[in-house]
Amino acid sequence: MTDKFYCILQINVKGMGKDSAPVEAFRSSLGSPATFDYGYANFDGDAVLNPASPDHVTSTKPKATTTADIDAFARIDTAGTFFFSKPINETDADLYPPSRVIDLKVKQIDPLDVTQGVQLTFTSPGDDYDSGTADFYEIRYTYDKPSALSFSFSNEIPISTANLVSGDLLTPSVAKSAETFVVDLNDIPSDRDLLIVAFALRATDNAGNVAEVSNIAMMNLFLKPPEVSCTDDQGRPVNTEPFEKKKQCKTFYQCSNGQLFTKHCASESVFNPIRGVCDQPENVPACTTGVYVEDNAEPTSIPQSK
């Protein structure tokens, strides 16, 4: 006799992922009726068969039923490949901002002439981090408080198109390009010889994603020419003839053994930068009245050292 076991399990799943269903099953066996007696053997050894057996024989013995537990088991079936589609929402299609600039540098173009402006250099970020092209730059600066650019960038002084000698805030270069801006600072305090100015910037892409504020670039801004050094290129002390103190009529400079001295002409004379001596005012066009007249000024020249 052959026993057979069938189990059909149907699971409907909606959604993503995989599902499993624990099943507890039992095994049953049914006692088989006595074997049908097909005949017997006589004394001669010949088989004597009974009449043909009926289609079904009911045993007079009671049916024996046994039940045994089977350990619980789980089956996981793969649903196969499926596709998921969703309309693109244009408002959140671009989720990545430009990179943070980390190599911003600044320098004064001419330490003897603040009107020449300052130069900013950095590597351009992209639209999405370091890929593509940003939409525009925002550059800001502050005097004497560099840390403010980190904590309150939006509150510091902005660089506008009117401040730019070269460079374009609205047309960034493609990512990883070298950017150069020359800025004219038109709000420099007039009562200082030297001050600290700091710059920072950030980029924004065309989806409005804003980069983090860049590193802070600082510099000493000379508002008046630094004092003349009385050393040569190798740092050795020098001696010079008297020479002009810029925009001054009564006073002049002279280097002696590496030190700079300020000297004065007599009350009725002025310093003549051409001759290197105190002279009559009528011989110095910029000082005909004893007071320096800027329109007639000539460049300061430092005599050769001795």
Side-chain angles (χ1 to χ4, degrees):
M1 178 177 179
T2 302
D3 293 332
K4 294 184 180 180
F5 178 81
Y6 295 95
C7 178
I8 298 176
L9 180 63
Q10 182 176 0
I11 301 176
N12 293 325
V13 179
K14 293 183 179 181
M16 300 177 63
K18 62 183 180 181
D19 192 21
S20 63
V23 177
E24 185 174 359
F26 302 92
R27 179 182 62 196
S28 297
S29 61
L30 182 62
S32 177
T35 304
F36 179 75
D37 186 3
Y38 286 94
Y40 60 93
N42 60 18
F43 293 103
D44 296 331
D46 295 326
V48 180
L49 299 178
N50 289 328
S53 63
D55 293 337
H56 178 72
V57 175
T58 302
S59 172
T60 57
K61 296 182 179 181
K63 299 177 181 180
T65 302
T66 60
T67 301
D69 292 340
I70 299 177
D71 292 338
F73 64 91
R75 176 172 178 172
I76 299 175
D77 193 11
T78 302
T81 303
F82 64 93
F83 298 91
F84 175 80
S85 62
K86 172 187 175 184
I88 296 177
N89 187 344
E90 296 295 338
T91 60
D92 62 4
D94 185 351
L95 303 177
Y96 304 104
S99 291
R100 175 178 180 260
V101 172
I102 60 174
D103 62 348
L104 177 64
K105 298 178 182 178
V106 60
K107 71 175 182 178
Q108 186 171 346
I109 294 177
D110 185 355
L112 300 178
D113 185 4
V114 70
T115 62
Q116 296 299 313
V118 297
Q119 183 186 71
L120 301 174
T121 58
F122 59 94
T123 301
S124 61
D127 178 277
D128 297 332
Y129 297 122
D130 291 325
S131 176
T133 305
D135 196 45
F136 65 89
Y137 293 130
E138 182 182 4
I139 304 177
R140 293 180 181 267
Y141 66 98
T142 184
Y143 294 119
D144 296 328
K145 49 178 183 178
S147 62
L149 290 167
S150 294
F151 301 109
S152 58
F153 178 82
S154 299
N155 296 330
E156 302 311 311
I157 308 169
I159 293 293
S160 66
T161 302
N163 296 115
L164 294 178
V165 178
S166 65
D168 190 349
L169 295 170
L170 302 180
T171 311
S173 300
V174 67
K176 303 178 183 178
S177 301
E179 295 275 35
T180 301
F181 286 77
V182 176
V183 178
D184 178 21
L185 301 177
N186 52 18
D187 62 346
I188 298 174
S190 59
D191 59 345
R192 304 273 295 274
D193 290 347
L194 175 69
L195 57 81
I196 296 175
V197 60
F199 293 84
L201 67 89
R202 63 185 180 186
T204 301
D205 66 15
N206 57 7
N209 298 312
V210 182
E212 295 181 35
V213 177
S214 71
N215 65 297
I216 298 174
M218 297 183 294
M219 62 173 291
N220 290 321
L221 188 65
F222 292 98
L223 307 184
K224 295 181 180 179
E227 296 291 351
V228 178
S229 174
C230 288
T231 58
D232 62 14
D233 294 340
Q234 285 73 42
R236 296 171 296 192
V238 297
N239 299 308
T240 69
E241 298 292 344
F243 60 94
E244 177 188 16
K245 184 176 181 181
K246 193 173 182 180
K247 297 184 180 181
Q248 296 293 321
C249 290
K250 292 290 186 178
T251 58
F252 58 93
Y253 288 132
Q254 187 170 13
C255 289
S256 176
N257 196 28
Q259 294 186 12
L260 181 67
F261 291 91
T262 301
K263 298 186 176 183
H264 303 271
C265 291
S267 59
E268 298 299 327
S269 62
V270 295
F271 184 74
N272 187 331
I274 304 300
R275 299 176 61 191
V277 296
C278 292
D279 201 351
Q280 298 297 318
E282 56 266 24
N283 296 328
V284 185
C287 296
T288 53
T289 61
V291 178
Y292 183 80
V293 180
E294 190 169 2
D295 291 342
N296 298 323
E298 295 185 8
T300 300
S301 60
I302 301 176
Q304 295 295 322
S305 62
K306 292 183 180 180

